[in-house]
Amino acid sequence: EVQLVESGGGLVQPGRSLKLSCLASGFTFSNYGMNWIRQAPGKGLEWVASISSSSSYIYYADTVKGRFTISRDNAKNTLYLQMTSLRSEDTALYYCARGEVQDWGQGVMVTVSS
Amino acid sequence: DIQLTQSPSSMSASLGDRVSLTCQSSQGIGNYLSWYQHKPGKPPKPMIYYATNLADGVPSRFSGSRSGSDYSLTISSLESEDTAIYYCLQYDEYPYTFGAGTKLELK
């Protein structure tokens, strides 16, 4: 069974940094591209970033480009999202998702507030 | 960026009704479109992938179709558990984009 478990969320002040993790199990992690997707309170879903299986290809939404970094450690079956220069508008539930977005984790909440 | 326009933004229907939700793409995306069912407190649940393929475990009353740049999710006979927000996603090219969602309620 595919399992994706996000962690690392919490309350952070504007301008500060936070790093999310997504531990994968139940499949060969190194064979799949991975994604981060978020949902701000009361809003719809927003794709954030994607990374290919070997980290050769990385893509970001314009709203986070230059501030967020997606990465992965295939030896640890873990996906990361390093978030810097956080803004109030980054407040959201962050999900990791496998491949062509067919499996999702439960999500982790990030709140950016002073 | 590719825009996905979902319609209607909300709707109510009765148990047993046939319901169709639409997602229109601003550019060609082939069949690289998925549908998700989203209920409060849960992650989005994949319903349809590659425009017409039923995801694992999804009841057969759900189906997906395509006509040109218009994509549809149809529920043949609405059940109470189907009330949710439904989103479409295009994964043909980056940036991936979601539609704004259709909120489906029971009448």
Side-chain angles (χ1 to χ4, degrees):
Chain A
E1 178 195 4
V2 172
Q3 285 204 318
L4 300 167
V5 180
E6 303 93 338
S7 60
L11 173 64
V12 61
Q13 293 179 328
R16 303 298 290 264
S17 300
L18 201 63
K19 188 173 185 176
L20 304 183
S21 299
C22 171
L23 178 62
S25 61
F27 65 100
T28 303
F29 181 70
S30 59
N31 286 350
Y32 288 85
M34 296 294 294
N35 313 274
W36 287 101
I37 292 160
R38 68 185 180 182
Q39 184 176 36
K43 303 293 186 182
L45 298 170
E46 179 188 18
W47 170 81
V48 173
S50 296
I51 186 169
S52 63
S53 57
S54 60
S55 303
S56 298
Y57 301 99
I58 288 174
Y59 305 91
Y60 296 101
D62 285 345
T63 52
V64 306
K65 198 174 295 183
R67 300 187 300 120
F68 289 13
T69 302
I70 188 173
S71 63
R72 63 191 295 160
D73 185 334
N74 285 345
K76 294 183 177 180
N77 289 347
T78 303
L79 174 73
Y80 302 102
L81 186 67
Q82 176 70 54
M83 305 183 292
T84 64
S85 302
L86 282 161
R87 307 167 179 167
S88 58
E89 54 264 38
D90 296 318
T91 294
L93 185 60
Y94 285 74
Y95 296 100
C96 67
R98 181 179 78 145
E100 293 178 333
V101 198
Q102 286 304 304
D103 296 282
W104 298 62
Q106 291 296 311
V108 62
M109 189 67 201
V110 173
T111 302
V112 184
S113 174
S114 55
Chain B
D1 297 358
I2 296 172
Q3 309 296 321
L4 295 181
T5 302
Q6 287 191 243
S7 59
S9 56
S10 66
M11 67 174 296
S12 59
S14 301
L15 294 175
D17 281 354
R18 182 181 181 87
V19 171
S20 285
L21 313 180
T22 298
C23 178
Q24 183 177 63
S25 177
S26 64
Q27 299 175 36
I29 57 171
N31 282 345
Y32 292 101
L33 186 119
S34 291
W35 288 95
Y36 303 88
Q37 178 190 71
H38 198 191
K39 296 183 178 183
K42 294 187 176 182
K45 176 184 178 182
M47 305 300 283
I48 299 289
Y49 65 97
Y50 204 60
T52 61
N53 293 276
L54 207 61
D56 289 346
V58 174
S60 59
R61 64 180 181 275
F62 288 87
S63 63
S65 62
R66 173 193 173 188
S67 176
S69 62
D70 292 336
Y71 300 80
S72 296
L73 174 70
T74 299
I75 307 171
S76 60
S77 180
L78 187 67
E79 298 193 7
S80 57
E81 65 193 44
D82 300 335
T83 56
I85 299 176
Y86 291 83
Y87 294 96
C88 55
L89 163 73
Q90 70 79 19
Y91 53 101
D92 180 56
E93 66 175 49
Y94 292 102
Y96 287 178
T97 46
F98 287 91
T102 292
K103 186 174 185 178
L104 176 59
E105 297 175 307
L106 275 180
K107 193 178 292 182

